[in-house]
Amino acid sequence: MKKIVFLILVARTCVAGTFNFMGYGAANQAMGNSTVALPLDANSQVYNPALMSFQPTQLLSMGAEGATTSFNGINQVVTNTPNLGAESVTSSNVDTSTPDTLLFDIAYQSPLYKGEHPIHVGVAIVSPFQRIIQSETPNDFQPEYSMYSTDTQKFSPSFALSKLLTDDLSVGIGANIYVVQGTSSHQTLVSNQNSTSVYATDVRTGVAPAFGLAWAATEHLKLAFSYRGKEDYRSEVDEDATISLVGPNDLLFSNSSSLAYDPDMLMLGSSFSDQQGNTFAGEIKYEAWGGYNGAAVKMNFSGAYSSSFSQTLPSTPFHDIYTFHLGYQHQFNHDVIRAGYSYVPTPVPDPNSNQGSNILDSTKNEASIGWGHRWEHFFLDGILNLDLVGFLDYLVPINVVKTNSQGIGYPGYSIGGVIFGYGLTLTREY
């Protein structure tokens, strides 16, 4: 009897969205994403929808941001065992590389009418849409077969409204709408047209709410609070295969898993600007990762082709974290320089104390530096701002020691590495 073998050494947990991974807009990134109380461009609505009321003009921000990674390699560790479907304990190298990220973002906000306290409306979109699932393994059943499938794409626009309740207090509400296209495919073994497989996913979509307050306590000091609701892209996968080697046999498998996840987030921050062109910003963010159990896929198998069995995956519950963000900028005549720092502890379980965990992540120290320039009369009396940023994430090294000779990851490995990022944003004021 041939068994279907699936490799389960859980890769780096790249499940968070753009807001958590890099942030929106070069100016915000250069400030260490500490800008929940500091309006800088049209992307400010994503950090706190209430900030739009302190930006009285129409704003259009367009930009690009990217990142490349360099992580420690993992060589000759246990990667599969019989309880995951293998015929014996298997050791191999693990590829920890990830593809480079390149995203484009656009954000627009405007007052709806002229008046003392108008309502502001905003929208922000990141593109191209993020691919979540694509069938890439060419030999699920046999070396030769044909597959026709569509890629699953993620589309998450953000909408926001804000209004000044008084001259110095603003409230904002919003929604992050996440929409995912499901995937389906039909597979046929070329050497035997009687062997087929029908594969389908159904991905849950929904709306994550947002809420914010911003208070101009004095001419120079702003205080703010913001909330972003949880986004959980969950997939239901079902496959019904007919394998015809000697005679037709059925193989059924199914699973349910989170494809991407951003937790509930509460942000509290302040900004202070003096008359010498200096601005200081700080923020503390609470991320409710508790209860999330990783994105590993647990398959359930049944059918005449194979005896019924399920993969046994360890429990890897995440925990809540607090992240800290600091930013500084100095305004010259038409130029501004910025610097930022963030401390981001990992929410994943410690693989040394939780021996079943192999989620490759560690605490990150993030440093950023940026520059901006302002053209007061660029075109048709409009104002144009150009912002650039570069940032570096340093992952604190962790040496993992596995005690079970048949446990995934044995005898151990090292977690660590760096992420290099960059960004450019153009903002037009009307």
Side-chain angles (χ1 to χ4, degrees), residues 3-228:
K3 287 189 175 181
I4 306 299
V5 178
F6 285 81
L7 173 66
I8 304 290
L9 178 65
V10 182
R12 187 173 307 274
T13 171
C14 293
V15 295
T18 305
F19 180 79
N20 244 11
F21 176 51
M22 290 190 292
Y24 281 71
N28 295 291
Q29 292 171 319
M31 295 289 287
N33 293 308
S34 63
T35 52
V36 69
L38 181 63
L40 291 175
D41 59 20
N43 292 295
S44 295
Q45 62 185 284
V46 181
Y47 294 83
N48 185 350
L51 292 179
M52 292 190 298
S53 293
F54 294 101
Q55 298 170 294
T57 62
Q58 296 183 63
L59 295 176
L60 174 64
S61 295
M62 297 182 294
E65 53 198 68
T68 184
T69 63
S70 177
F71 300 130
N72 295 344
I74 295 177
N75 298 319
Q76 289 305 299
V77 296
V78 173
T79 54
N80 214 338
T81 62
N83 72 330
L84 294 179
E87 298 204 13
S88 62
V89 176
T90 304
S91 294
S92 61
N93 297 338
V94 178
D95 184 5
T96 60
S97 63
T98 62
D100 292 347
T101 298
L102 180 60
L103 300 172
F104 299 91
D105 59 77
I106 182 170
Y108 174 77
Q109 63 184 57
S110 173
L112 288 179
Y113 54 86
K114 293 183 178 180
E116 184 178 2
H117 292 159
I119 295 175
H120 284 70
V121 62
V123 60
I125 301 173
V126 175
S127 66
F129 304 157
Q130 300 174 12
R131 180 180 295 144
I132 296 177
I133 292 179
Q134 181 181 14
S135 299
E136 296 177 342
T137 305
N139 56 352
D140 283 342
F141 303 120
Q142 294 290 333
E144 293 181 343
Y145 73 97
S146 60
M147 173 179 284
Y148 307 94
S149 66
T150 58
D151 295 339
T152 298
Q153 305 287 339
K154 168 184 170 184
F155 176 53
S156 298
S158 299
F159 300 93
L161 293 170
S162 75
K163 181 175 177 56
L164 283 170
L165 300 180
T166 67
D167 289 340
D168 51 20
L169 178 63
S170 172
V171 63
I173 58 173
N176 305 299
I177 303 174
Y178 51 101
V179 180
V180 183
Q181 170 189 322
T183 298
S184 62
S185 68
H186 178 78
Q187 308 164 19
T188 302
L189 294 179
V190 175
S191 59
N192 189 331
Q193 295 298 316
N194 293 321
S195 298
T196 61
S197 176
V198 178
Y199 172 90
T201 66
D202 181 21
V203 186
R204 187 183 75 181
T205 62
V207 178
F211 172 78
L213 291 170
W215 177 39
T218 70
E219 180 183 357
H220 302 289
L221 176 66
K222 287 188 177 68
L223 304 174
F225 166 81
S226 182
Y227 164 75
R228 283 176 63 92

Side-chain angles (χ1 to χ4, degrees), residues 367-387:
S368 58
I369 188 169
W371 169 81
H373 183 78
R374 180 181 180 89
W375 289 272
E376 293 287 350
H377 304 285
F378 180 73
F379 180 69
L380 296 179
D381 292 328
I383 298 172
L384 183 70
N385 294 279
L386 168 65
D387 293 300

